[in-house]
């Protein structure tokens, strides 16, 4: 599948500064490349950055099939089409699962891996409220405020509603539509159920950046991460939840950029 993407060229700070390589960012479920503009611009100081819309999200094509394996295959096709070799892959949530799957099944291909707030295991599809808040017909709605009020009947969390509405598009006719393939995602409820091969292990240089108060990461998960990744740095942002790149952006970027600076320094020594 040919994926939509945004490209942020390498902006070297000094004449002698070298690119660390291509950096690819994979969003989470219900997200898109639009969610990662600030992070992409910050990382473009280290290399060329691509933010990808995964299948059934953003401006990428819709499909009745949606799985971690298929999204990894889409990513491999993207690398081939754009002649990307040995990239650094950053994935959040669903994107983190895709990034880990790609790493497990393509040993030695990635230069480095960054995983945000997700562990290499199965997860339940606990998004009924999100799905229901987007399934009602949009015919007759003439403002985002009215749509938000209807969504609130199913999804009281204002932050999550605003996040979902980043994928709400207004057509030239004035009508609204979801860029997300809501029906398709509703049918893909096993997408996080045993997403990986039976044996998982990685020698890739890896950063896990976690929310200290996240419901997605347990003490057992941290042990699993330590057992799975042999070249691991793991940092936790106190009080942070699943969306630390939004809610704790300052701390998130400080940790992320420091890790990239460390990788860059290692290359130059």
């Amino acid at each position: 599948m040919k994926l939509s993407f945004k490209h942020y060229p390498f902006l070297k700070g000094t004449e002698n500064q070298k690119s660390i390589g291509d950096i690819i960012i994979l969003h989470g479920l219900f997200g898109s490349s639009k969610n990662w503009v600030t992070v992409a611009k910050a990382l473009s100081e280290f290399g060329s950055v691509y933010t990808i819309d995964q299948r059934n999200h953003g401006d990428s094509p819709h499909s009745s099939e949606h799985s971690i394996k298929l999204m990894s295959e889409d990513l491999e096709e993207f690398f081939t089409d754009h002649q990307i070799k040995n990239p650094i892959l950053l994935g959040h949530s669903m994107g983190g699962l895709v990034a880990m799957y790609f790493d497990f099944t393509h040993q030695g291909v990635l230069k480095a891996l960054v995983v945000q707030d997700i562990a290499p295991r199965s997860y339940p599809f606990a998004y009924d409220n999100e799905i229901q808040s987007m399934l009602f017909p949009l015919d007759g709605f003439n403002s985002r405020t009215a749509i938000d009020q209807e969504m609130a009947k199913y999804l009281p969390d204002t932050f999550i509603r605003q996040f979902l509405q980043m994928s709400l598009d207004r057509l030239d006719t004035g009508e609204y539509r979801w860029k997300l393939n809501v029906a398709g995602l509703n049918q893909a409820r096993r997408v996080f159920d045993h997403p990986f091969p039976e044996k998982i292990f990685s020698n890739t240089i890896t950063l896990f950046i976690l929310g200290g108060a996240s419901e997605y990461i347990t003490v057992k998960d941290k042990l699993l991460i330590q057992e799975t990744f042999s070249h691991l740095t793991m940092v936790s942002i106190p009080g942070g939840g699943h969306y630390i790149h939004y809610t704790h952006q300052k701390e998130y970027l400080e940790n992320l950029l420091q890790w990239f600076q460390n990788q860059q320094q290692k290359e130059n020594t």
Side-chain angles (χ1 to χ4, degrees):
M1 178 177 289
K2 305 300 181 185
L3 301 177
S4 176
F5 67 97
K6 300 292 187 297
H7 179 224
Y8 300 80
F10 172 45
L11 298 174
K12 59 182 179 180
T14 63
E15 186 176 345
N16 295 327
Q17 185 179 353
K18 295 181 179 179
S19 168
I20 197 172
D22 292 322
I23 302 165
I24 316 298
I25 300 179
L26 300 176
H27 61 77
L29 183 66
F30 307 130
S32 74
S33 58
K34 287 173 63 176
N35 309 143
W36 291 90
V37 174
T38 299
V39 176
K41 287 181 177 178
L43 290 181
S44 67
E45 296 179 8
F46 298 95
S48 185
V49 181
Y50 297 83
T51 56
I52 291 176
D53 288 337
Q54 300 194 81
R55 62 170 56 207
N56 294 316
H57 293 74
D59 292 319
S60 283
H62 289 186
S63 171
S64 59
E65 297 180 300
H66 191 84
S67 70
I68 300 300
K69 180 177 182 293
L70 285 172
M71 284 183 277
S72 175
E73 292 173 0
D74 293 341
L75 182 62
E76 185 173 13
E77 183 177 346
F78 182 87
F79 289 163
T80 300
D81 289 348
H82 295 273
Q83 299 181 327
I84 293 173
K85 296 180 179 179
N86 303 117
I88 297 174
L89 191 53
L90 186 162
H92 170 232
S93 196
M94 178 184 76
L97 295 176
V98 175
M100 286 186 284
Y101 184 99
F102 185 91
D103 184 45
F104 295 149
T105 56
H106 298 78
Q107 291 287 335
V109 170
L110 297 182
K111 186 172 193 176
L113 174 67
V114 181
V115 179
Q116 180 182 326
D117 207 61
I118 203 77
R121 63 169 172 91
S122 296
Y123 281 86
F125 190 89
Y127 305 98
D128 287 335
N129 291 346
E130 286 87 342
I131 291 289
Q132 290 302 316
S133 76
M134 296 184 287
L135 274 180
F136 62 86
L138 295 177
D139 300 345
F141 286 92
N142 55 17
S143 72
R144 287 178 174 267
T145 300
I147 293 173
D148 182 65
Q149 290 172 347
E150 185 67 19
M151 291 179 70
K153 297 177 182 178
Y154 308 92
L155 187 62
D157 191 318
T158 301
F159 174 81
I160 300 298
R161 291 202 313 276
Q162 290 176 344
F163 166 68
L164 295 178
Q165 287 166 23
M166 291 185 74
S167 294
L168 184 63
D169 195 23
R170 189 167 194 176
L171 306 177
D172 292 339
T173 60
E175 298 174 305
Y176 287 91
R177 71 172 179 91
W178 291 106
K179 288 189 172 185
L180 296 163
N181 181 4
V182 180
L185 294 174
N186 188 34
Q187 296 299 316
R189 289 174 172 263
R190 298 191 63 184
V191 63
F192 307 131
D193 188 11
H194 299 290
F196 300 123
E198 185 175 348
K199 294 182 179 180
I200 57 173
F201 185 77
S202 174
N203 285 317
T204 303
I205 297 168
T206 303
L207 168 67
F208 270 76
I209 184 165
L210 311 173
S214 173
E215 297 178 352
Y216 285 72
I217 301 292
T218 66
V219 173
K220 188 176 179 180
D221 288 335
K222 292 180 180 179
L223 293 174
L224 174 61
I225 291 166
Q226 290 170 342
E227 293 169 357
T228 304
F229 296 89
S230 63
H231 290 80
L232 173 68
T233 301
M234 185 161 55
V235 298
S236 183
I237 296 179
H242 195 51
Y243 297 91
I244 42 179
H245 58 300
Y246 280 136
T247 61
H248 293 66
Q249 188 174 91
K250 181 176 180 291
E251 300 96 320
Y252 176 84
L253 286 175
E254 285 175 353
N255 281 278
L256 187 64
L257 298 182
Q258 182 61 59
W259 184 83
F260 269 87
Q261 287 169 1
N262 291 343
Q263 302 311 307
Q264 192 173 58
Q265 288 170 1
K266 289 177 184 177
E267 283 199 1
N268 294 332
T269 56

